Amino acid sequence: MQADATGHFGPYGGRFVPEALIAALDELDAHHRKAMADPEFSAEFGRMLREYAGTPSLLYEAARLSAHAGARIFLKREDLNHTGAHKVRNVLGQALLTKRMGKPRVIAETGAGQHGVASATACAYLDLECVVYMGAVDVKRQALNVARMKMLGATVVPVDTGSQTLKDAINEALRDWVTNVDTTHYLLGTAAGPHPFPTMVRDYVRGIGDEARAQCLDLLQKLPDAVTAAVGGGSNAIGMFQAFIPAESVRIFGFEAGGEGVSTGRTAASITAGGKGVLHGARTYLLQDDDGQTIESHSISAGLDYPAVGPQHAWLHDTGRATYEPVDDREAMDAFLLLCKTEGIIPAIESAHALAGTLRVIPRLREELGREPVVVVCLSGRGDKDMHTAIDYFGLES
Amino acid sequence: MTPMFKKPALVGYLPAGFPDVPQGIAGIKAMIEAGVDAVEVGLPYSDPVMDGPVIQRAAEKALAGGVRTRDVLATVEAVSGMGVPVVVMTYWNPVERYGVGAFARDLAAAGGAGLITPDLIPDEADEWLAASDEHKLDRVFLVSPSSTDERIAMTVKHCRGFIYATAVMGVTGARDETSAVAPKLVARVKAVAGALPVGVGLGVRNAAQVAEVASYADGVIVGSALVSALGEGGVQGVRELTTHLVGGLSR
C-alpha cells in the first residue's frame, strides 16, 4: 500500500501546513525518493542498522507465554535494539538523510523523551546539532530522559503553551521549522504529519516487518496467521504491518491506548473514539470536540499518549485491511506483569498494549482457524523507562 | 470579484472571544472606527502552528473562556455592517468539523467576506473552492518567500479578495525590523497577480513600519501588536494603536 504522488492514503494524509513549509517538504520528498533508489544510501543505512543499532532484531518464540495463551506467540524483539526501541531505525534513516541534504541542524519533538533520546543519539553519532522540544509538564515528569538528552549533546527546550505535552511540542517544532527551514531538518518521531513524513518514516521502520516476514519463512516455512502492534502515532505498527499488507492470509491488528476506557473520555484511542479531521499537517482520525478543537489524550503509556494517528492507519482502518481495537491502561498493565513473570522480559508499556490486545484476540483466531494461531507481536521497546510508572501502578514502593 | 481593499490599506486582526466575546467585538469596532480598511477575525484554535506567543496566548484565553465557532460567526455578524469587509482567519480543522459547506453558508449569512486559511493550500482545497464559489466568498491563501514561482502563480489563480504574503519565514509576532525579503516577494507576486491586491503580514507594529510596507504592498496587515494592545490597554488601547498605525498610510 503506497500513498499517491501527493501523499494521500485514500482521503487521508496530504499536506495541511503553511505554504512556507511546502518547499521544504518537496525538497525532503525528492531527497527521500532519491535515497530510496540509491544503492549507496541503502548500503549505508543497512550498515548503520546492523553495526550500530543491532538489527535484525530477534524473532523470539515466547514458549511460556504461548502455553498460557494457547497460541504460538513470537515476539519481534525491538526492545533489544540500541536505545531500547524500534525508534532507532527512524532516527538513523532521517539523520542520514539530513546529512545528504547538507543541513547541519535537527529539531525533534518528544513526549516522554524516548524519541528525543533517540534523536540525540543519532545526532551525536552523525555529528548534527540537535534541539528537542518537550512539553514543560513532560520535562518535569521525565527528568532522567532530559538528562540523557543533555549527556548526548542535545539542547532541550521546554514548551509552556497549550497542554504543555507532546502535541504542543510538535506545534513548537513546526514553528521552529517554519523559521529555520533552510538549515534545519525536522526529525518527526512517528509516521504522521504532512507528506512525505508518513511514507518516509514508514520506509525507515519497515525493516521490522520485512525482517519478521523473512524470519517466519525461515523458522516456520510459512507466514504467521496474524501480526499485532500497539498504535499511538503508529510508527512501530506501520513498520510491522507494511510487509504483511499484501499477504491476505495474514490478519493485522493495531491496539490503541484506551486509557481509562474509551467511554470515560480519558483515552488516546483516536480511531475508536475520535473522528475524521486535520491535525499536525495531515487528514486522519483525531480526538476533537464538536468545534474541531483537539482534545487532550490520556494513556498510562507516554508513547501512545497522542490525540491523532498516522494517516496510513486511518486508511487501513477504513478499508478493513487492519483491525484497530482499544486496550485500557489496566489490561496493558496486566499484560506488562504477565510478560515479566512468564518470560523474564520487562516490556515497554506501549508494547504491553500490543500483548494485551493479542491475548484478547487469540481465542477469536483459534475459533476461526480451528487450531492454535501463530501470532507475531511487535515488542517495540523495553520497559526500563517505565519503572517509575510500574512502581506507582503496582504500589511497589515500601 | 472585486478586490477587498485598495492601496494603501490597513488590515487589522483580532481573535474572536478575546478577552471575551463582547470585548472582542468592541475591540474590532474600535479598530474599524479608527480607520482600518479591512478586518480579520481570528478563530481561536487549540493548535495554532503559524502563530507566535501573543496570538497563541490570546487563543488559549479565548478557548479557556469557552468561545465556540458560533461565537466567531456572531462576532462577524456584529461588525460586518460597518462598511469594511470582514474576513475570518482560521486553521482548517474547525471549518472541516463545522462542515465546509455549512460554514461557508453561515459565514456568508453573517455578512462575512471570506476566509484566510493559513494551513490550507489550494492543492488540498477542492471542497472549499466549491463552497466559496457557491456562496460568493473570498478565499485568501498564503504565499511565502520560499514559494516557487510556479506555486505563486497557482496560488494567485485560486485567490479572491487579496493574496496574503508572509513577509518573513517564521511565525506571527511583532518585530522591530520589517523583512528585507518582503519587497522581493511582493514583486514576484505582483508580476502575476493582476488586479488582485497583495497584503503583507507578520511583524508590523508601528506607523513607520506601516509606511515602509505600504510603499511596496497594497495592504499592511497588523495582528499581534493589536492583540497586545487589546490585552494591555483594552478597547481604548486598540483605538489608539489603530489611529497611530493609520498615520503611517500616506492618504
Side-chain angles (χ1 to χ4, degrees):
Chain A
M1 176 188 269
Q2 301 295 341
D4 70 13
T6 48
H8 299 89
F9 298 91
Y12 302 107
R15 285 177 176 171
F16 294 83
V17 292
E19 168 67 21
L21 288 177
I22 297 298
L25 292 168
D26 279 343
E27 180 196 20
L28 186 60
D29 188 31
H31 277 280
H32 173 63
R33 284 172 197 269
K34 205 171 136 202
M36 286 290 99
D38 180 356
E40 259 181 56
F41 182 90
S42 307
E44 182 62 6
F45 186 37
R47 185 193 63 75
M48 285 161 53
L49 286 172
R50 229 174 20 252
E51 296 177 6
Y52 184 71
T55 69
S57 60
L58 298 175
L59 186 70
Y60 161 74
E61 181 163 12
R64 291 192 61 214
L65 181 68
S66 294
H68 173 89
R72 286 187 78 180
I73 299 174
F74 291 82
L75 304 178
K76 182 60 176 160
R77 296 290 308 276
E78 291 292 299
D79 60 317
L80 298 177
N81 298 346
H82 180 43
T83 72
H86 73 286
K87 287 179 178 296
V88 70
R89 298 176 187 263
N90 175 36
V91 296
L92 287 178
Q94 288 198 53
L96 181 59
L97 192 70
T98 305
K99 293 296 271 191
R100 286 168 67 107
M101 290 191 292
K103 294 188 172 183
R105 179 172 179 265
V106 161
I107 55 172
E109 83 294 345
T110 199
Q114 293 308 111
H115 175 60
V117 170
S119 298
T121 301
C123 289
Y125 176 59
L126 289 176
D127 189 22
L128 293 159
E129 184 191 347
C130 183
V131 176
V132 180
Y133 289 96
M134 187 170 186
V137 169
D138 290 330
V139 169
K140 283 199 195 107
R141 287 195 293 212
Q142 305 288 342
L144 189 60
N145 271 341
V146 172
R148 289 169 81 196
M149 287 183 264
K150 288 181 176 169
M151 292 297 296
L152 292 161
T155 305
V156 179
V157 181
V159 177
D160 62 359
T161 50
S163 57
Q164 306 188 15
T165 58
L166 176 59
K167 82 175 178 63
D168 308 286
I170 294 177
N171 293 340
E172 202 56 32
L174 284 167
R175 291 181 191 114
D176 180 315
W177 205 32
V178 170
T179 311
N180 301 299
V181 68
D182 284 346
T183 59
T184 300
H185 173 62
Y186 180 15
L187 207 171
L188 189 66
T190 190
H195 177 67
F197 282 105
T199 292
M200 182 179 69
V201 173
R202 181 201 68 202
D203 289 346
Y204 296 151
V205 297
R206 65 166 293 163
I208 303 168
D210 289 334
E211 291 167 16
R213 189 176 184 284
Q215 288 163 325
C216 280
L217 290 174
D218 194 35
L219 283 167
L220 306 164
Q221 290 77 50
K222 62 171 189 176
L223 295 177
D225 297 307
V227 295
T228 70
V231 179
S235 70
N236 92 87
I238 207 68
M240 173 59 97
F241 296 169
Q242 183 70 11
F244 293 99
I245 290 169
E248 282 173 25
S249 67
V250 180
R251 292 151 182 80
I252 298 176
F253 293 94
F255 297 106
E256 301 192 287
E260 293 173 19
V262 292
S263 60
T264 67
R266 292 178 61 82
T267 181
S270 39
I271 292 177
T272 309
K276 291 169 196 177
V278 167
L279 181 64
H280 292 145
R283 181 175 287 118
T284 186
Y285 283 93
L286 64 132
L287 302 175
Q288 57 184 326
D289 68 14
D290 290 343
D291 279 356
Q293 308 287 348
T294 311
I295 295 175
E296 220 176 305
S297 56
H298 291 276
S299 168
I300 195 167
S301 150
L304 304 179
D305 197 354
Y306 177 62
V309 65
Q312 190 175 354
H313 288 295
W315 186 229
L316 285 168
H317 168 73
D318 280 15
T319 58
R321 180 61 190 98
T323 303
Y324 295 85
E325 296 182 7
V327 166
D328 298 353
D329 290 349
R330 197 173 49 80
E331 293 175 272
M333 293 311 283
D334 288 349
F336 176 91
L337 198 57
L338 181 68
L339 193 72
C340 292
K341 304 275 189 202
T342 58
E343 297 290 342
I345 297 170
I346 301 178
I349 297 176
E350 292 79 20
S351 315
H353 283 72
L355 285 166
T358 303
L359 295 171
R360 187 203 295 159
V361 300
I362 279 172
R364 254 185 266 163
L365 290 170
R366 200 164 48 224
E367 191 164 331
E368 218 176 283
L369 296 163
R371 60 174 167 78
E372 288 204 337
V374 176
V375 184
V376 176
V377 182
C378 187
L379 200 74
S380 56
R382 67 178 181 223
D384 308 40
K385 68 182 176 63
D386 293 318
M387 291 320 297
H388 63 283
T389 306
I391 288 166
D392 286 349
Y393 186 86
F394 294 112
L396 299 180
E397 216 154 30
S398 63
Chain B
M1 290 237 178
T2 49
M4 191 179 293
F5 46 75
K6 283 198 202 83
K7 181 183 176 78
L10 184 69
V11 182
Y13 168 97
L14 282 174
F18 172 75
D20 56 30
V21 175
Q23 290 185 74
I25 291 171
I28 294 169
K29 285 184 171 171
M31 202 160 77
I32 295 171
E33 286 159 7
V36 296
D37 301 284
V39 166
E40 297 178 8
V41 177
L43 191 155
Y45 177 53
S46 53
D47 295 273
V49 298
M50 266 293 272
D51 286 308
V54 169
I55 294 178
Q56 283 177 48
R57 305 258 182 235
E60 272 175 34
K61 187 166 167 71
L63 290 171
V67 72
R68 304 286 310 267
T69 298
R70 61 172 175 266
D71 296 317
V72 178
L73 293 167
T75 298
V76 171
E77 191 161 21
V79 300
S80 63
M82 296 177 70
V84 304
V86 177
V87 61
V88 169
M89 184 156 189
T90 179
Y91 292 90
W92 191 240
N93 197 51
V95 179
E96 196 152 298
R97 188 65 168 177
Y98 195 95
V100 178
F103 193 94
R105 178 197 65 211
D106 292 353
L107 178 62
L115 282 185
I116 305 171
T117 51
D119 64 345
L120 183 74
I121 55 176
D123 319 53
E124 301 281 0
D126 286 355
E127 209 181 344
W128 166 232
L129 297 179
S132 53
D133 283 347
E134 187 185 339
H135 296 281
K136 300 190 167 40
L137 291 168
D138 286 337
R139 49 188 185 230
V140 178
F141 296 105
L142 277 59
V143 290
S144 99
S146 63
S147 303
T148 60
D149 289 342
E150 291 73 25
R151 286 199 62 81
I152 288 176
M154 183 277 289
T155 305
V156 161
K157 195 166 67 99
H158 288 98
C159 278
R160 263 200 312 250
F162 73 102
I163 184 160
Y164 194 126
T166 50
V168 290
M169 293 299 284
V171 297
T172 57
R175 289 169 173 81
D176 287 330
E177 292 177 14
T178 46
S179 154
V181 299
K184 206 179 289 180
L185 173 63
V186 171
R188 290 171 67 208
V189 176
K190 286 211 151 280
V192 291
L196 189 71
V198 182
V200 168
L202 298 183
V204 171
R205 68 171 187 184
N206 60 42
Q209 290 171 319
V210 169
E212 187 195 327
V213 174
S215 71
Y216 57 84
D218 302 308
V220 184
I221 301 164
V222 181
S224 300
L226 283 164
V227 177
S228 294
L230 182 56
E232 290 158 18
V235 171
Q236 189 54 29
V238 171
R239 198 181 303 276
E240 284 166 14
L241 178 61
T242 307
T243 303
H244 166 73
L245 295 170
V246 168
L249 300 172
S250 46
R251 61 180 185 196

